Structures are given as C-alpha cells and as structure tokens.
Amino acid sequence: MAPRLSFQVLGPLKVSVDGRPLLLRSARQRTVLAVLLLTPGRAVSVDALTDAVWPSDPPVTARNQIAICVSALRKTFRDEAGVDGLIETLLPGYVLHRDGHYVDVADLYESAAAARAAAEAGDPSEAAARFEDALALWSGPVLDGMDGGALNGTVDRISELRTDLTEEYATVQLQQGRYRSVLECLAPLVAENPLREHARALLMQAYHASGRRSEALDCYREGRRVLVAELGVEPGAELQELHRTVLEGEGRAPVRTAASADTVAPDAPPGPTPAVVPRQLPLAPEPFVGREKELEALQGLVPPAPGFAGAMTVRVATVCGPAGVGKSALALHWADRVAGRFPDGQLYLDLQDGHGGPGTPEAALERALRALGVPGTSIPAGVEDRAALYRSTLDGRRLLVVLDDARSVDQIRPLLPGRGPARVLVTSRDPLNGLTGTLAVARVELGAMSPAECLDLLAATIGEHRVSAEPSAARRLVELCDRLPLALRVVATRLLSDQRWSLRQMAARMEDRRERVSVLSPGESGVRSGVWLGYRALSVQAARLYRQLSMLDVPDVPSWIGAPVLGVTPEASEELLHQLVGAQLLEIRPAPGGGPRFRFQELMRRFARERCLAEDAPQERRQALERVLTAVLTLVHAAQEQLYGKGEAPHGGSSPVEPVPGETVSELVADPVEWFEDERETLGALVAQAVRDGQTERAWLLAVGTVPFYETRNYLEDWRRTAECALEGARNAGDTRGAGTMLRTLGTLAIYQRRYGEARERLLTALTQLERTDDVQGRAIVRRNLAVCARFLGDLGEAARYCEESLVLFRRAGDNSGLSHALGLLAQVEIEQGNPERGVELSNEAIEVSYEAGSLRSRTQNLYRLAEALLGAGRSAQAERICHDVVGLTRGQGDRLGEAHGLCALGEAQWRQNEPHKARASLRRALRLAEEVRDRFLQARIVTHLACAEAIRGGSGAGEPLDWAETEFRTLNAPAWERRAGRLRAVLESHDAPRPIEGSVLAGLLADR
C-alpha cells in the first residue's frame, strides 16, 4: 500500500505520513507548501510564492530560492514518505496534486458543498451532519502563526467561509429545535464578530425560542449599540422585525420532548477534550524471522474486544534473556502486529538513562504522562503521585505500554497500570521474579535462536542464494555467533557491505580467537565478536567518531554531532553515523522534531569506551568534549536570541562561543522551543558531564542558557537540578561569576514558584558574588529580579529603586533585551503606584527598545504592560486594541500563559466600556487557558473580572465566585487584589442585582490598592 500524506492548514500547518508527523524545519519551505495547499490542484505562480515568502523587498535571487525550496520539499517527501510527483512544475509556477493524499481544506470544500446541497433539498438532519463534519476540521485559525502577502487573501476567504458555515449550521439547527447547540456555537461567533447582523438574529431567535427573552433583548441592544457606534447605522430589517417579535412575546418555541430537541442549560460546561493517542513504537530490526512459539505466548496479553466475555487475559508480559538475544526485536515485532488491538495508542519507554544505567521511575512517568496529553504543569513531583495520576490516565483505555530494558522490579512497578484494558510488555535481562505472586504475568524466557531460525535470518538478510551456495560455512557462522541475532546481523551487514567476502572466509576469520572477545562471557556470548567485526571494518573517521561519541554521557545524539567531534561538515557527520548504524554499532530512531537521533546499546557503548581509552590520548578526549560543549553553546545562544533578542545570553571569557561547522545554526534552531525540546535530556546530561570534567564555565553557561526553555515549558525540576549541579561545580572550582550566576538563576526559579522570600535571599547572595566580578549584565539582571521580588512583597518603592539601578547597568552592558524588560517592569511598578500615564510612557519606551533588541517575546510582554497602563489611565478603547495584538502574538508563539493574560486584559477593557457580552467571551477563553497552565492567581483575577461583566449586564450570582477569588488572593499572599475583590463583593451584595452597574463605577472599585 502506497504511503499516504496528510496536510492540515485549518489551524497550525501539520504534515504527516501514515499518521507519523513529518516536520519541515525551514520557515520558507512551510510557507511555500502552505500556498500550494490552499489551492490544491491549481498552479501557483512563482511571483505569488515570492510574495508569500518575502512580503516586501524580495532578494534578487528570489526565484532561485523558491526553486530550491520546492526541490527541498520534493526531497523531503521522497526520502521521508517515499512519495514522488506530489509537486509538479507547471507554468507559471508549481501545482500540488492531492490524488491519494489528504488535504483538509479540500475536505472542507467537499463537506460544505454536501451540507448546502442537503439543506437545499430540505434534509436538515443530513445538512447538520455535513456542517458538523466541515466545522470539525478546524483546530485553530487558518495557518495559525504564519503570515505572508500571498497568503492573506486566501486565508481571509477561508476564515470567512468558517463564519458562513457556522451561520448556516445554526439555521438548520433552529429548524430541528436544537436551540442549546445554536447558543453554544453562535455566542462566541457574535462576540468576535459583533457587526454580523444575520448571526446576531439567529442568536436572538435561539434565546427567544429557549424562553430566555431578556437575553434576546440584551443581544439586540448590544448589536444596536455596536452598529451605531462603529458604523453610524441602525440595525437592518431582519433584526428590527425580530426585536418587535420578542417585545410582543410572539413566536415562542413549543415545549420539546427529549427525543426532539436538546435541553436548554445555560452556561453548560464543555465536554471532555479528546484523549491524546500516542503512537510511539519504534521500528523493529528487519528482517524478523522465527520465534513463533514466543510470539504465540505473548498473545495472552491482548485484551478481549469490548463487550466480549472471553477468557481473562494477563495484564503484564515479560521478555527476559541475555544481551543480544533479540528481546527488544521480539517485543517491537509483536507490538507492531497487534497495534490495531490497542486503539487508544502505544507507549514506548526506554528505561536506560543517558549513560547506559537504569533510568528513574520518576523520569519515565513524566515522559509517559506528557505522551498521554497531561500538561507539564499538571504533573506532580513525587513518584507516588505521578504513578497515581498515570494509573488514572490509563483507566479505561485500550493501550499498550512497552517498557524496554528494565533493570529491576522496583524500576517498573510504578509504571504498571491498575485495573482496566491497558497492557504492559517488559523486556529485561533480569528475570523479574519479584513480580510473581503479585500479578498474573505471561513470561517469555528468550534464549538463543534455533540453528534453522538463524539460517533463515542469515538468508533473509544476505540472500538465500549465498546461504545455499555455502551451506557448511553458513552453519559454522551460526555457531560462531552463538546463535544470537545481534551477532548474526553484524556478520550479515559485513557480508553485505563487501560482496567479495565469502561465507567461508568470514567463518575462517571468526575462527581466530583474536577476532572474537569474551565468546563465552555470560550475558555477552557472541555479541562482542560481532561488535569487533563491525568496528574493524570501519573507516578511520567512522571508528574515531564511534569511540569519541561513547564518551558523551548523553542518551542519544543528533545527526550533526560529528561536526564538532571530528571537525567535519554536518553532511559528512550524518553519513558517518549511518555507516555506524549499518554496522549495527549504533541505533537510529526518529525524533519528535522529525530529524534522526542516534544512540548506543549499552554493550556497544562499553566496547567503544574501551577502544577510546586504549586508542585516544587523554588530551584528545578532552578536546573533543570541549568542541561539543562549545558547539552546543553556540546553538543555545542562537535559540535564546530568537526568544529574547541579542544581549540576554551571557558569554564566557575563556570559553568563546564559535559557530557550528557547516553554518547550520539558523536551520537547527529555526523553531527554538522545539529545538530545546528535542535536546532537553542531552543539555542536562552535558551540564553534569562538564562539571565532572572540570569544565565549569561551560557548565554554568549551558545551564543558564536553558532557563528560557525550562520556563516556557514548565520543566521546573530540570531547571533546579541543572542549576544546582552547575552551582556545585562553580563553587568547587572557585568560579565566583559562575556561582553568582547560578544563584541568580535559582532565585529566578523561586520567583517563578512564588517563593519570594527564598528568591530574595538567593538573589542578594548572588549580588554579593557578582559585585566581585566585572559582570555588569549579571548584576543588572539580579537587580531587576530583586525588583520583581519587592513588587510582589508589596514594597513598590524598593521595586522602583532596583529597577532604576538595573536600567543604568543594562545600558552600560549594551543589553537591549534586558533593558526592555526592566523598562516594562518599571512601567508596571508605576502603574501600581498610581501613575498610569508614566506607565504608558515607560511601556512605549520599552517597546521601542525591544524592536532594537529584536525580541518578539519582550515586545509582546511590554505591549501587555502598555495595555494595563492604558486601562489604569482610563483609556480602555486604546487598551482593547493593544490587547488584540497581545493575544495574536502570544498565540503565534505558542505561549498559553501569555495568551491567557492578554485575554484577561482584553475582557477587562471590554467591560470597562460597558460591553459585557464581549467581555464574558474573552474572559471565559482566558479562564480555560489559565486552568490549563494551573495559574491560580490569574484564575482569581479572571473570576473577579467576570463578576464585573456580570454586574454590568444586570446579572446575579457573582457573590460566590468572588468569595472564592478573595480566598485565593489571601492564600497566594496578594493583599491588594484581596482588598479589591472584597470591595467589589460588598458593593454587589448591596446592589439591586437586576439593575446594571456602569463600568466606570466598578473600575473605581478596582483602582485603589
């Protein structure tokens, strides 16, 4: 069956092949592909593609660069998916053929046409179903996060189609009496598009037919106000006629039965989000032969189909045996065969740590929970709590968990599911006898393959004709390899790589004991001989790379790693790594980001380290590690500059940062957060290794460079562990600047965890250390963070003083990114001191500086502060416009917390302008996001603003939520907000609830601290 590509543009651009994500790291390639996907089957001119990639001032080489992008896309689809002919050159440009592949926008057009045809034919049930199909295709704004001149017009048309379809869907739902569904789909649409009169009319009809007459009238009044204010016109005939009908009480819908219509339930909570379905099984070694008895024994692990009262199956199976016997190959081959019986997904967890030792259950549980869709902010710290959440998440799911290379029962016990259809398959050299008596376990003791199976494996690998031509030599090779699959694969690879080798010659070579190492060693029989065969056949460069890679205490490596290790190009590095994979000396696996990752089996790493210690001088080993650390620092700083702009990342004195050979930096960190995600474990492991090797400066530079990523993804434990490791190394080496920098980093972590007293203590100690160095930038950052502590501890005067001091130092250091941040913080302090106009002035200055720094993140944060300053100054309409920019920018950066803050401020700006319906829509979206990221302080603020919006529309019931918010503020030590919530609650309790309150009155209640 030919591979099938899937393309999604109704949301962020996504590409997959047979369900496996395919990442395009180049922004230009993504833009070119997006333009072609928006009009599948139609030629797009090179000029249109140029406009999309370079909306203004395209380079003179634009046409050539577009051709290069298309060529790269074709190569990606050919190499990664085995698909040719997808993009064809057709004057005046290119066309994308979707035959045999899936493009969601094409599916959208087809579903929309079918829905409209059914509506015209008078079949509302069929029409509703087809409209639901069309609307379900969206996962966000079209091509979310992308922009370009040639994209905007088509994107706007598709976005408009979504709005049209929503209105048409509401129309057929009204015909069916599904008023609650109409309210749920139209209320957000009308809030975001207040000038669409037909949508508002449909919403009014749904309110009226549901018996919610007052809300129907509110809906009309809000629409009239917006139309008069924005366009200077009265509502059209449709709205006016409907308004008269509601006023006169006519046309109310008859009572409906449960079978004919849904029950009206205002403000019903949304349904549960669909569970994430992981598909993590790596490819098993090919070819796979034999082991039929063992495969049959594992069938007892398959749960019966739902509703089938079959025999009880076991929940855990173990595959145990010595290294090289094929445990992982058997497990993965069986898991792939039965994957369809586990429709809720397959988890794969390698239980080794970065340097071949046993990994911790805590780390494995974190990977599992994230793969199952649990946000990082929701993952508890302790192993028991993580295990409990893991069992709860697996409950009721038909899911297979493969635990590879377990070392002990204690390591895997927290990873076993509770009751339910989830199943676990474990591979281990340990017999895991401790599971007996506590669980029903299917056991497979895997030994050497039979001679016949070994011959079949050899024939399947090198060809039946070669085995048949030399049967005696083939049988002897099988015995010399001790009938172990790993050794046989290595020998077969060597025979394939050089056809001049006969089986007899290979057998004769292996008869020499000097060609085999520890043939009879328990647990390693036959494996080392195979490793030797593969190693001795390597080129000089490949062997050197193999040896020196083994000295890196990392779980796996990317394809460019050979560039710093050997001083070769990244392309040459990847070629050498593939040679090592071909020799069965390294394993390859796809990374989440799409690029290949390479890793050692433990025995292979041990062998390679022995050779490195024997063949490479200590100085050579140390220099290789230095080059790797320097190259990684180059990438970390480049990624950090993309997030924060130039100047934020500190640079060392004796460890200058050098470019990665091959000029691959910009391509590797095109998406800095995803690059950090791919390299997360590697970066932490390298910090620890640098400390052990005495390279303390590189260790703390690398540790501080990872902080923006840990903060963005909420990896607080990684942040703490890495910083404490680097701090210990700096202290032991007497590195004052390094110790001060790590104390500052740990102080920042304490701020993030809202432990302000601890943060202040660490920061003051850091300042004492850094005052003894020439690190002006570091001292500036500490003062800025001390200002944050002072602000949250309620001392705004001290906060302003620290801010002013940091501004002087940031200017002296030439750090515009830090300067922008400090200006924005000072603006926040001025706002809270009751000087909003000064806050506006400082926020605008901070935004200007962020442009100079090239920091989109800093600019976004300062736009938010500008909005807050404008709100404090009573300029709510201006604040609303700024908030829309903040929401768009944070959404494009994938910053959920920032988006929640932007929506919160947007809702506040809207209720202050007496627009409660718009405010409630914005604030409810903000609350969902704040709950996702588990920010209780922000949740309490949003609830407070929702109470204001409710009071403005004349609603009731704000008291209980305000009680909750006031308690939260008290718990979180936020006295100013606690007083605001208390004042607001007191006023609302004494007010006549049905009578609306002006926004200016409530704004005054929230103004005082």
Side-chain angles (χ1 to χ4, degrees), residues 634-703:
T634 301
L635 293 165
V636 167
H637 291 154
Q640 194 173 9
E641 284 185 358
Q642 285 212 58
L643 289 172
Y644 286 109
K646 294 183 181 295
E648 180 73 15
H651 292 259
S654 60
S655 302
V657 177
E658 301 168 359
V660 175
E663 299 180 348
T664 58
V665 175
S666 59
E667 181 179 350
L668 287 171
V669 298
D671 187 332
V673 174
E674 287 307 315
W675 179 82
F676 268 121
E677 184 70 66
D678 292 346
E679 301 295 345
R680 171 192 165 201
E681 293 184 63
T682 296
L683 293 171
L686 285 175
V687 169
Q689 184 171 4
V691 169
R692 290 194 300 272
D693 199 60
Q695 300 193 41
T696 54
E697 185 178 57
R698 288 185 172 89
W700 65 258
L701 284 170
L702 192 54

Side-chain angles (χ1 to χ4, degrees), residues 901-969:
H901 275 284
L903 286 166
C904 177
L906 177 62
E908 181 181 357
Q910 289 163 339
W911 71 250
R912 282 172 178 258
Q913 298 174 78
N914 295 306
E915 296 177 331
H917 294 288
K918 290 170 64 175
R920 291 175 73 200
S922 299
L923 291 166
R924 284 176 174 172
R925 287 161 56 200
L927 188 58
R928 286 195 295 270
L929 289 170
E931 288 169 347
E932 282 183 24
V933 298
R934 299 175 69 86
D935 190 320
R936 290 165 54 206
F937 178 69
L938 181 57
Q939 290 175 47
R941 285 183 57 190
I942 294 167
V943 167
T944 303
H945 290 303
L946 276 168
C948 292
E950 186 70 15
I952 288 171
R953 63 187 289 268
S956 59
E960 185 176 344
L962 279 172
D963 284 342
W964 176 85
E966 191 175 358
T967 302
E968 283 295 294
F969 289 136

Side-chain angles (χ1 to χ4, degrees), residues 129-141:
R130 299 289 73 79
F131 279 124
E132 288 169 1
D133 291 344
L135 293 170
L137 295 172
W138 261 275
S139 61

Side-chain angles (χ1 to χ4, degrees), residues 735-759:
D735 184 341
T736 303
R737 183 188 174 197
T741 303
M742 287 299 94
L743 284 166
R744 180 251 294 177
T745 297
L746 288 166
T748 306
L749 172 60
I751 291 174
Y752 197 80
Q753 295 172 316
R754 300 187 185 278
R755 301 202 301 264
Y756 303 116
E758 176 188 331

Side-chain angles (χ1 to χ4, degrees), residues 231-480:
L231 304 179
V233 298
E234 289 289 331
E238 181 184 23
L239 277 176
Q240 292 192 29
E241 179 60 29
L242 186 56
H243 184 223
R244 282 193 295 272
T245 299
V246 176
L247 286 173
E248 294 167 4
E250 297 174 358
R252 179 169 178 169
V255 177
R256 303 171 309 281
T257 64
S260 65
D262 49 77
T263 304
V264 177
D267 301 329
T273 56
V276 173
V277 180
R279 307 287 187 191
Q280 293 188 330
L281 293 178
L283 294 175
E286 293 289 343
F288 185 92
V289 300
R291 305 292 199 187
E292 293 301 327
K293 179 181 177 182
E294 291 83 359
L295 290 169
E296 181 61 27
L298 293 176
Q299 286 300 114
L301 200 62
V302 178
F308 176 73
M312 178 64 183
T313 62
V314 295
R315 293 188 173 89
V316 179
T318 61
V319 179
C320 302
V325 80
K327 302 182 295 297
S328 297
L330 173 69
L332 293 174
H333 179 77
W334 178 83
D336 185 65
R337 287 200 338 186
V338 301
R341 301 291 297 275
F342 296 90
D344 293 324
Q346 304 88 41
L347 279 176
Y348 175 81
L349 297 173
D350 184 344
L351 298 185
Q352 290 190 87
D353 65 7
H355 41 86
T360 65
E362 292 94 326
L365 284 166
E366 180 178 4
R367 298 202 308 272
L369 289 168
R370 288 181 182 273
L372 291 166
V374 178
T377 53
S378 301
I379 297 176
V383 63
E384 293 181 1
D385 290 339
R386 287 184 179 184
L389 178 59
Y390 170 76
R391 290 191 296 271
S392 298
T393 306
L394 289 183
D395 185 45
R397 299 180 66 173
R398 294 168 60 84
L399 183 140
L400 176 65
V401 181
V402 179
L403 304 177
D404 202 8
D405 203 7
R407 300 303 178 87
S408 67
V409 172
D410 289 340
Q411 186 190 28
I412 65 171
R413 197 180 298 280
L415 296 161
L416 302 179
R419 297 183 179 277
R423 300 292 186 261
V424 175
L425 176 58
V426 188
T427 72
S428 178
R429 276 171 275 171
D430 188 281
L432 302 176
N433 292 326
L435 291 176
T436 304
T438 59
L439 291 168
V441 180
R443 295 185 176 278
V444 173
E445 298 290 341
L446 202 60
M449 296 174 72
S450 70
E453 287 175 329
C454 291
L455 289 172
D456 288 343
L457 177 60
L458 196 60
T461 308
I462 67 173
E464 177 65 38
H465 63 288
R466 296 186 70 180
V467 173
S468 300
E470 298 181 81
S472 297
R475 287 193 295 272
R476 184 57 183 154
L477 276 176
V478 166
E479 294 305 316
L480 288 169

